[in-house]
Amino acid sequence: MNTRLLSPCESTYKDASEILKNGGLVAFPTETVYGLGANALDRQAVLSIFAAKGRPADNPLIVHIHDRNQLDPLCDVPERAFPLMEAFWPGPLTILCVRKPAVPAEVTAGLPTVAIRMPSHPVARAMLQACNLPVAAPSANSSGRPSPTTAAHVLEDMDGKIPLIIDGGMCDVGLESTVLDLCHGEPVILRPGGITREMISSVLKCDVAVAGSVLRPLREDETALSPGMRYRHYAPKAVVTLVSGKEDRVVPMMRKLCLEQEALGKKSCVLCFSEHVTSLSDCRPHDIGSVTAPSETAHRLFDILRSLDDEGFEMVFSEVIPPEGIGLAVMNRLGRAASFRCVQAD
Ligand code: TXA
Ligand code: MG
């Protein structure tokens, strides 16, 4: 199949809409990452998403809408979701709702809940409006690769597998949406993202829990609340190790570890804050943004993780950021890329 890469314009939206209505797949930009979309009501189309990504069938998809009027045929919305939709939609918040029969079981991997999100990216909104369908879309990467934040990333993984990629430039947030469960008692963040725990808590005026496996590996006896959390994700081929501790200890420790590995013949590098690039100049520094701007780290992270593979690194040492605000989402993705391997520098 020939994969076309088109700029967003009226004729592109028309093409995308035709493809989606005929059961095909379209990759499109959102404010978080690129999505790989299909008509959520078309079972066969949904199955072809799993085939294109090599995604396990038991990992459910998010349904994207552009208008709240689309909700009623798809799901029952939990009461507490309404103030959150008011505050954060359109935007990077996915809310679990109770699935209605119109949603094929393939979308939800047989679960009684369906994940719903209204993206804010103008290109995503225009495409959703043009087709006027609920669009099931996971991130547009091959399963196990970092999510794509540029059209070039999508092309790397999907060339020849899908007919159309809409190129909307680099995604703003850079990490996937927050997935929030309001269907099982207290609110629980299953996957942290652009809408933070603190933001949700301030609207709901109550505590919001974070699933235990967000900052540590899932235990063997533990069921994943969100099936996606079970899989090894965001994993570059390199062995990634996080280095935490006091700033004045971390930088020399990263340098020592990196140069040791290099001396053993392993191609090595560091992921460090802009402020530390100069001190680590002999360690092939990859700049993760300023220590004062965690949203910049979120924005760059997946592109950096992809580049590690392209450049053939074997050992990577990374700084960490406090797991607060968007930092929680960054540390969830970075932690999983490192299989939660961490060295203490003090
Ligand atoms: O920002 C995003 O959310 C992007 C863009 C394209 O919208 N999409 C995305 O989809 O990241 P995906 O499929 O890569 O991740 C969806 C996550 C998975 O971890 C999945 O297990 C979880 O949401 N999920 C979906 N439906 C669920 C459900 N009913 N119950 C629990 N978890 C669910
Ligand atoms: Mg994904």
Side-chain angles (χ1 to χ4, degrees):
M1 185 186 292
N2 177 32
T3 302
R4 287 184 305 156
L5 186 65
L6 298 179
S7 302
C9 65
E10 282 316 311
S11 80
T12 301
Y13 296 132
K14 201 159 157 276
D15 287 1
S17 178
E18 283 299 302
I19 292 170
L20 292 167
K21 284 179 177 155
N22 290 317
L25 303 183
V26 176
F28 62 100
T30 82
E31 69 280 18
T32 57
V33 300
Y34 276 72
L36 180 60
N39 176 0
L41 304 177
D42 179 338
R43 198 178 296 271
Q44 283 308 321
V46 168
L47 285 174
S48 64
I49 292 180
F50 288 87
K53 278 182 64 88
R55 180 177 175 110
D58 63 353
N59 193 4
L61 307 177
I62 295 173
V63 176
H64 297 67
I65 59 172
H66 67 277
D67 191 310
R68 280 203 235 169
N69 290 329
Q70 293 172 283
L71 286 168
D72 187 51
L74 301 174
C75 59
D76 285 317
V77 178
E79 210 45 51
R80 286 174 299 183
F82 291 106
L84 294 172
M85 291 175 180
E86 207 51 55
F88 304 123
W89 275 12
L93 175 66
T94 296
I95 301 176
L96 299 196
C97 297
V98 179
R99 168 190 166 234
K100 285 187 180 170
V103 179
E106 285 76 4
V107 171
T108 67
L111 292 173
T113 50
V114 56
I116 310 268
R117 142 162 158 78
M118 187 188 286
S120 62
H121 195 292
V123 174
R125 289 183 66 73
M127 187 199 79
L128 291 168
Q129 257 152 16
C131 68
N132 198 28
L133 290 169
V135 169
S139 47
N141 51 293
S142 300
S143 215
R145 296 260 290 152
S147 294
T149 52
T150 66
H153 294 163
V154 180
L155 196 63
E156 274 171 26
D157 289 10
M158 293 297 150
D159 196 14
K161 297 183 180 167
I162 61 172
L164 174 61
I165 301 169
I166 308 179
D167 186 351
M170 190 163 181
C171 301
D172 204 19
V173 179
L175 300 178
E176 306 88 339
S177 64
T178 306
V179 178
L180 180 68
D181 184 358
L182 297 171
C183 295
H184 302 95
E186 68 165 346
V188 183
I189 292 179
L190 304 183
R191 180 179 70 182
I195 301 297
T196 64
R197 175 190 206 168
E198 295 82 350
M199 291 160 82
I200 295 169
S201 190
S202 80
V203 169
L204 293 181
K205 301 190 175 51
C206 70
D207 277 349
V208 174
V210 176
S213 57
V214 160
L215 290 179
R216 60 162 172 76
L218 202 63
R219 289 189 301 263
E220 265 186 31
D221 59 342
E222 202 175 7
T223 16
L225 295 171
S226 181
M229 291 300 213
R230 266 203 308 274
Y231 300 104
R232 193 180 128 94
H233 247 196
Y234 320 117
K237 293 188 188 92
V239 175
V240 181
T241 304
L242 308 179
V243 183
S244 70
K246 292 207 187 72
E247 193 179 351
D248 59 336
R249 301 283 173 87
V250 166
V251 174
M253 176 64 109
M254 297 232 295
R255 188 161 177 275
K256 174 172 168 285
L257 291 168
C258 181
L259 296 180
E260 269 171 13
Q261 290 301 320
E262 197 65 33
L264 292 171
K266 302 245 188 215
K267 187 172 177 187
S268 306
C269 72
V270 296
L271 311 189
C272 67
F273 294 116
S274 315
E275 289 83 352
H276 302 152
V277 165
T278 313
S279 331
L280 290 163
S281 60
D282 53 354
C283 295
R284 302 193 187 93
H286 289 60
D287 184 345
I288 60 172
S290 170
V291 70
T292 61
S295 59
E296 186 57 37
T297 307
H299 179 69
R300 292 184 192 189
L301 185 65
F302 284 149
D303 184 53
I304 293 175
L305 291 182
R306 276 181 179 256
S307 74
L308 297 178
D309 278 349
D310 299 342
E311 294 163 43
F313 287 108
E314 297 171 88
M315 300 300 276
V316 175
F317 299 93
S318 176
E319 294 202 60
V320 301
I321 71 175
E324 297 147 12
I326 186 79
L328 181 65
V330 170
M331 287 317 299
N332 168 251
R333 310 313 192 268
L334 198 51
R336 299 182 85 198
S339 302
F340 298 100
R341 205 175 299 100
C342 189
V343 169
Q344 196 64 28
D346 354 58

